[in-house]
Amino acid sequence: MSGTFEENMEKLKELSEKIKDRDIGIEEAVSCYEEGMKYYRSCEEILKNAKQKMEKFEGEV
């Protein structure tokens, strides 16, 4: 996954809303869940990298 944290979070929100739709089929819900997990992991990686940068910066100050 690529994109900014904000873009990934927006996609997660869209997928979450889609899963909540009562008219969605189980196959599509599972597909949305799997796609959402990819965006979640991407967001997690972005946050991890930001934390590492902040810790490095704090160590230099």
Side-chain angles (χ1 to χ4, degrees):
M1 293 274 104
S2 61
T4 67
F5 180 81
E6 292 79 7
E7 291 168 340
N8 291 337
M9 286 298 294
E10 183 61 33
K11 189 63 176 173
L12 271 172
K13 181 180 174 185
E14 291 172 15
L15 291 166
S16 174
E17 292 300 320
K18 199 171 187 180
I19 289 172
K20 291 177 188 176
D21 186 344
R22 293 179 186 242
D23 294 329
I24 192 172
I26 188 70
E27 293 86 7
E28 188 176 1
V30 170
S31 178
C32 287
Y33 173 80
E34 291 171 342
E35 184 179 358
M37 288 306 297
K38 292 175 185 176
Y39 284 102
Y40 170 79
R41 288 185 197 105
S42 181
C43 287
E44 192 174 45
E45 186 67 24
I46 291 168
L47 290 174
K48 178 183 163 189
N49 290 337
K51 181 180 177 187
Q52 289 173 345
K53 288 178 185 178
M54 292 296 292
E55 288 171 349
K56 182 179 177 186
F57 176 73
E58 288 175 353
E60 293 175 358
V61 174

